[in-house]
Amino acid sequence: MKEPFIHPLYIIEKLETAGYEAYFVGGAVRDLILNRTIGDIDIATSARPEQVMELFPKTIHVGIEHGTVVVVHENETYEVTTFRSEGEYDDFRRPSSVTFISSLIEDLQRRDFTINAMAMNAKGEIIDPFNGREDLRNQLIRTVGNAKERFHEDALRMMRAVRFVSQLAFSLSDQTKRAIQQYGELLRHVSIERITVEFEKMLSGKRPSLALALVADTELYRYLPQLNVDPQKFRSVCAHDWMMLQRVSESWTLLVHLLDIQDKQAFFKSWKLSNKQIKDIQLQSIGLRDVLENGWSKRIMYTIGEQASVSVNRILQLLRSNEHMNEHELLYIYSELPIHSLKDLDINGQDLLAWTGKKGGPWVSQLLKEIEEKVLYNELMNTKSSIRKWVQSCSQI
């Protein structure tokens, strides 16, 4: 048994000692086989939620009605879920009922893809009733059983499919791809927040261009917020090497640039992005447009800041723009700016009021901006004495 399974192995062994079955399941087993970094470790068991809570002194009740209890072991948390089968899906997301069962195979049968429907016992042996390991070897994303049924149960699984294509650089099975083409409209029943999470994971994967091409082939874009654009226009976004980007905000910036989205605020609100995300993307969009039109300048670096400048430069590299520059050179130029924000000025509005004896008004902010500009371009030293001398020499003061 390898880390990080050794620590939660205690939970499995304690459940087994009490007479229950227990296994590691899901993505952690998949990633172990792929030798990928392992995230959350989930456990499935024949024990009922109340039986799990009796066995472990510290638990958190997060979804008992669905069979899930969080077990806290040595300050680490692990989801322990009772084997279950599910009733009809009335809203294309949640089952109308959950039935606790004693069969691991039946439990695995309700999962989305074969590569996620494997389990591992305490001895490290893999239980693989749906040939998930073979699909891993063939680098294939395939639903467990009938694709139509899996996507009608939870339509988000279509977005998860293309997300896994990006993250793992795998392909979709023919049946899975055909089902997405046929039932893509079911995404209308899924909350935007859930779609956005999968879309961002797709953009941040190893092969986002491959996944975007599948979104184009299956026409899933027609059911994504404000992406129901001309097919050729959407397909054009697949022609770029998205994996060069390092931040999801860069991917959003590139997307709105390539699709020529005019009302970016409305676009990102429709995706339910956070205000911070929107601010970051808008800064990068401003910088990208300005640099493409006018080239790099101290003013644009100063306006959008260091991080946004680095991001814009990375996007320019992807676009193969002549305006792309060496990142070290960019960072050096930025570091040599006399100021990096208005707060860096050696004076403030109160100084201007004291020096001039005038009442406050719009003239204060206007004059500060003029001083800011002169300091930025080294036309005025950023010292209180130099700025005061210049202010007192101005005819308008």
PDB file of all heavy atoms in Angstrom, residues 193-210:
ATOM      1  N   GLU A 193     -23.229  27.343 -11.985  1.00  0.00           N
ATOM      2  CA  GLU A 193     -22.082  27.199 -11.085  1.00  0.00           C
ATOM      3  C   GLU A 193     -21.384  25.858 -11.282  1.00  0.00           C
ATOM      4  O   GLU A 193     -20.145  25.793 -11.322  1.00  0.00           O
ATOM      5  CB  GLU A 193     -22.533  27.337  -9.632  1.00  0.00           C
ATOM      6  CG  GLU A 193     -22.963  28.731  -9.222  1.00  0.00           C
ATOM      7  CD  GLU A 193     -24.433  29.030  -9.515  1.00  0.00           C
ATOM      8  OE1 GLU A 193     -25.077  28.202 -10.209  1.00  0.00           O
ATOM      9  OE2 GLU A 193     -24.922  30.067  -9.060  1.00  0.00           O
ATOM     10  N   ARG A 194     -22.160  24.786 -11.428  1.00  0.00           N
ATOM     11  CA  ARG A 194     -21.567  23.456 -11.613  1.00  0.00           C
ATOM     12  C   ARG A 194     -20.878  23.353 -12.976  1.00  0.00           C
ATOM     13  O   ARG A 194     -19.806  22.761 -13.095  1.00  0.00           O
ATOM     14  CB  ARG A 194     -22.635  22.369 -11.493  1.00  0.00           C
ATOM     15  CG  ARG A 194     -23.282  22.268 -10.119  1.00  0.00           C
ATOM     16  CD  ARG A 194     -24.347  21.183 -10.109  1.00  0.00           C
ATOM     17  NE  ARG A 194     -23.768  19.851 -10.050  1.00  0.00           N
ATOM     18  CZ  ARG A 194     -24.281  18.785 -10.652  1.00  0.00           C
ATOM     19  NH1 ARG A 194     -25.355  18.891 -11.410  1.00  0.00           N
ATOM     20  NH2 ARG A 194     -23.706  17.602 -10.539  1.00  0.00           N
ATOM     21  N   ILE A 195     -21.492  23.943 -13.989  1.00  0.00           N
ATOM     22  CA  ILE A 195     -20.891  23.930 -15.324  1.00  0.00           C
ATOM     23  C   ILE A 195     -19.584  24.701 -15.328  1.00  0.00           C
ATOM     24  O   ILE A 195     -18.576  24.274 -15.905  1.00  0.00           O
ATOM     25  CB  ILE A 195     -21.872  24.516 -16.360  1.00  0.00           C
ATOM     26  CG1 ILE A 195     -23.057  23.561 -16.565  1.00  0.00           C
ATOM     27  CG2 ILE A 195     -21.171  24.796 -17.691  1.00  0.00           C
ATOM     28  CD1 ILE A 195     -24.145  24.114 -17.455  1.00  0.00           C
ATOM     29  N   THR A 196     -19.577  25.854 -14.654  1.00  0.00           N
ATOM     30  CA  THR A 196     -18.378  26.695 -14.622  1.00  0.00           C
ATOM     31  C   THR A 196     -17.205  25.965 -13.987  1.00  0.00           C
ATOM     32  O   THR A 196     -16.068  26.053 -14.472  1.00  0.00           O
ATOM     33  CB  THR A 196     -18.663  28.007 -13.863  1.00  0.00           C
ATOM     34  OG1 THR A 196     -19.683  28.737 -14.546  1.00  0.00           O
ATOM     35  CG2 THR A 196     -17.414  28.875 -13.782  1.00  0.00           C
ATOM     36  N   VAL A 197     -17.450  25.229 -12.911  1.00  0.00           N
ATOM     37  CA  VAL A 197     -16.382  24.474 -12.251  1.00  0.00           C
ATOM     38  C   VAL A 197     -15.744  23.498 -13.235  1.00  0.00           C
ATOM     39  O   VAL A 197     -14.505  23.426 -13.350  1.00  0.00           O
ATOM     40  CB  VAL A 197     -16.921  23.719 -11.023  1.00  0.00           C
ATOM     41  CG1 VAL A 197     -15.886  22.717 -10.503  1.00  0.00           C
ATOM     42  CG2 VAL A 197     -17.301  24.694  -9.911  1.00  0.00           C
ATOM     43  N   GLU A 198     -16.563  22.755 -13.963  1.00  0.00           N
ATOM     44  CA  GLU A 198     -16.028  21.785 -14.921  1.00  0.00           C
ATOM     45  C   GLU A 198     -15.333  22.469 -16.090  1.00  0.00           C
ATOM     46  O   GLU A 198     -14.291  22.019 -16.567  1.00  0.00           O
ATOM     47  CB  GLU A 198     -17.152  20.875 -15.431  1.00  0.00           C
ATOM     48  CG  GLU A 198     -17.798  20.012 -14.373  1.00  0.00           C
ATOM     49  CD  GLU A 198     -16.817  19.044 -13.728  1.00  0.00           C
ATOM     50  OE1 GLU A 198     -15.879  18.597 -14.413  1.00  0.00           O
ATOM     51  OE2 GLU A 198     -16.988  18.741 -12.536  1.00  0.00           O
ATOM     52  N   PHE A 199     -15.912  23.579 -16.563  1.00  0.00           N
ATOM     53  CA  PHE A 199     -15.334  24.303 -17.702  1.00  0.00           C
ATOM     54  C   PHE A 199     -13.952  24.852 -17.340  1.00  0.00           C
ATOM     55  O   PHE A 199     -13.006  24.768 -18.134  1.00  0.00           O
ATOM     56  CB  PHE A 199     -16.272  25.431 -18.120  1.00  0.00           C
ATOM     57  CG  PHE A 199     -15.948  26.047 -19.452  1.00  0.00           C
ATOM     58  CD1 PHE A 199     -16.222  25.376 -20.633  1.00  0.00           C
ATOM     59  CD2 PHE A 199     -15.367  27.303 -19.528  1.00  0.00           C
ATOM     60  CE1 PHE A 199     -15.934  25.945 -21.869  1.00  0.00           C
ATOM     61  CE2 PHE A 199     -15.068  27.887 -20.764  1.00  0.00           C
ATOM     62  CZ  PHE A 199     -15.356  27.201 -21.940  1.00  0.00           C
ATOM     63  N   GLU A 200     -13.818  25.381 -16.128  1.00  0.00           N
ATOM     64  CA  GLU A 200     -12.529  25.922 -15.713  1.00  0.00           C
ATOM     65  C   GLU A 200     -11.493  24.814 -15.523  1.00  0.00           C
ATOM     66  O   GLU A 200     -10.311  25.000 -15.851  1.00  0.00           O
ATOM     67  CB  GLU A 200     -12.686  26.741 -14.431  1.00  0.00           C
ATOM     68  CG  GLU A 200     -13.428  28.042 -14.652  1.00  0.00           C
ATOM     69  CD  GLU A 200     -13.352  28.977 -13.464  1.00  0.00           C
ATOM     70  OE1 GLU A 200     -13.234  28.483 -12.318  1.00  0.00           O
ATOM     71  OE2 GLU A 200     -13.417  30.201 -13.679  1.00  0.00           O
ATOM     72  N   LYS A 201     -11.926  23.672 -15.006  1.00  0.00           N
ATOM     73  CA  LYS A 201     -10.999  22.540 -14.893  1.00  0.00           C
ATOM     74  C   LYS A 201     -10.556  22.080 -16.278  1.00  0.00           C
ATOM     75  O   LYS A 201      -9.402  21.683 -16.474  1.00  0.00           O
ATOM     76  CB  LYS A 201     -11.667  21.387 -14.144  1.00  0.00           C
ATOM     77  CG  LYS A 201     -11.830  21.622 -12.658  1.00  0.00           C
ATOM     78  CD  LYS A 201     -12.496  20.438 -11.986  1.00  0.00           C
ATOM     79  CE  LYS A 201     -12.652  20.651 -10.483  1.00  0.00           C
ATOM     80  NZ  LYS A 201     -13.328  19.503  -9.827  1.00  0.00           N
ATOM     81  N   MET A 202     -11.473  22.132 -17.235  1.00  0.00           N
ATOM     82  CA  MET A 202     -11.134  21.769 -18.611  1.00  0.00           C
ATOM     83  C   MET A 202     -10.104  22.741 -19.180  1.00  0.00           C
ATOM     84  O   MET A 202      -9.105  22.331 -19.787  1.00  0.00           O
ATOM     85  CB  MET A 202     -12.394  21.783 -19.474  1.00  0.00           C
ATOM     86  CG  MET A 202     -12.162  21.398 -20.933  1.00  0.00           C
ATOM     87  SD  MET A 202     -13.568  21.844 -21.988  1.00  0.00           S
ATOM     88  CE  MET A 202     -13.307  23.621 -22.128  1.00  0.00           C
ATOM     89  N   LEU A 203     -10.311  24.041 -18.977  1.00  0.00           N
ATOM     90  CA  LEU A 203      -9.387  25.045 -19.494  1.00  0.00           C
ATOM     91  C   LEU A 203      -8.011  24.929 -18.856  1.00  0.00           C
ATOM     92  O   LEU A 203      -7.007  25.306 -19.464  1.00  0.00           O
ATOM     93  CB  LEU A 203      -9.942  26.450 -19.255  1.00  0.00           C
ATOM     94  CG  LEU A 203     -11.192  26.852 -20.050  1.00  0.00           C
ATOM     95  CD1 LEU A 203     -11.654  28.245 -19.634  1.00  0.00           C
ATOM     96  CD2 LEU A 203     -10.934  26.812 -21.552  1.00  0.00           C
ATOM     97  N   SER A 204      -7.966  24.400 -17.626  1.00  0.00           N
ATOM     98  CA  SER A 204      -6.702  24.306 -16.888  1.00  0.00           C
ATOM     99  C   SER A 204      -6.021  22.954 -17.048  1.00  0.00           C
ATOM    100  O   SER A 204      -4.994  22.709 -16.406  1.00  0.00           O
ATOM    101  CB  SER A 204      -6.957  24.573 -15.400  1.00  0.00           C
ATOM    102  OG  SER A 204      -7.576  25.828 -15.213  1.00  0.00           O
ATOM    103  N   GLY A 205      -6.557  22.086 -17.886  1.00  0.00           N
ATOM    104  CA  GLY A 205      -6.017  20.744 -18.043  1.00  0.00           C
ATOM    105  C   GLY A 205      -4.779  20.683 -18.915  1.00  0.00           C
ATOM    106  O   GLY A 205      -4.251  21.698 -19.369  1.00  0.00           O
ATOM    107  N   LYS A 206      -4.318  19.452 -19.175  1.00  0.00           N
ATOM    108  CA  LYS A 206      -3.126  19.236 -19.997  1.00  0.00           C
ATOM    109  C   LYS A 206      -3.370  19.534 -21.474  1.00  0.00           C
ATOM    110  O   LYS A 206      -2.481  20.000 -22.176  1.00  0.00           O
ATOM    111  CB  LYS A 206      -2.664  17.775 -19.869  1.00  0.00           C
ATOM    112  CG  LYS A 206      -2.058  17.414 -18.533  1.00  0.00           C
ATOM    113  CD  LYS A 206      -1.892  15.913 -18.384  1.00  0.00           C
ATOM    114  CE  LYS A 206      -1.070  15.295 -19.503  1.00  0.00           C
ATOM    115  NZ  LYS A 206      -0.890  13.831 -19.302  1.00  0.00           N
ATOM    116  N   ARG A 207      -4.591  19.224 -21.940  1.00  0.00           N
ATOM    117  CA  ARG A 207      -4.888  19.371 -23.359  1.00  0.00           C
ATOM    118  C   ARG A 207      -6.230  20.082 -23.583  1.00  0.00           C
ATOM    119  O   ARG A 207      -7.179  19.506 -24.103  1.00  0.00           O
ATOM    120  CB  ARG A 207      -4.927  17.989 -24.027  1.00  0.00           C
ATOM    121  CG  ARG A 207      -3.593  17.264 -24.041  1.00  0.00           C
ATOM    122  CD  ARG A 207      -2.590  17.918 -24.956  1.00  0.00           C
ATOM    123  NE  ARG A 207      -3.055  17.958 -26.316  1.00  0.00           N
ATOM    124  CZ  ARG A 207      -2.934  16.957 -27.180  1.00  0.00           C
ATOM    125  NH1 ARG A 207      -2.398  15.819 -26.785  1.00  0.00           N
ATOM    126  NH2 ARG A 207      -3.372  17.073 -28.413  1.00  0.00           N
ATOM    127  N   PRO A 208      -6.329  21.353 -23.168  1.00  0.00           N
ATOM    128  CA  PRO A 208      -7.599  22.063 -23.352  1.00  0.00           C
ATOM    129  C   PRO A 208      -8.012  22.186 -24.813  1.00  0.00           C
ATOM    130  O   PRO A 208      -9.211  22.175 -25.119  1.00  0.00           O
ATOM    131  CB  PRO A 208      -7.339  23.433 -22.712  1.00  0.00           C
ATOM    132  CG  PRO A 208      -5.861  23.534 -22.565  1.00  0.00           C
ATOM    133  CD  PRO A 208      -5.342  22.151 -22.435  1.00  0.00           C
ATOM    134  N   SER A 209      -7.056  22.279 -25.725  1.00  0.00           N
ATOM    135  CA  SER A 209      -7.405  22.398 -27.154  1.00  0.00           C
ATOM    136  C   SER A 209      -8.143  21.157 -27.634  1.00  0.00           C
ATOM    137  O   SER A 209      -9.103  21.247 -28.414  1.00  0.00           O
ATOM    138  CB  SER A 209      -6.142  22.606 -27.997  1.00  0.00           C
ATOM    139  OG  SER A 209      -5.465  23.776 -27.609  1.00  0.00           O
ATOM    140  N   LEU A 210      -7.702  19.986 -27.153  1.00  0.00           N
ATOM    141  CA  LEU A 210      -8.344  18.731 -27.513  1.00  0.00           C
ATOM    142  C   LEU A 210      -9.783  18.702 -26.996  1.00  0.00           C
ATOM    143  O   LEU A 210     -10.711  18.295 -27.702  1.00  0.00           O
ATOM    144  CB  LEU A 210      -7.544  17.571 -26.918  1.00  0.00           C
ATOM    145  CG  LEU A 210      -7.854  16.151 -27.395  1.00  0.00           C
ATOM    146  CD1 LEU A 210      -7.610  16.008 -28.882  1.00  0.00           C
ATOM    147  CD2 LEU A 210      -6.999  15.164 -26.607  1.00  0.00           C
TER     148      LEU A 210
END
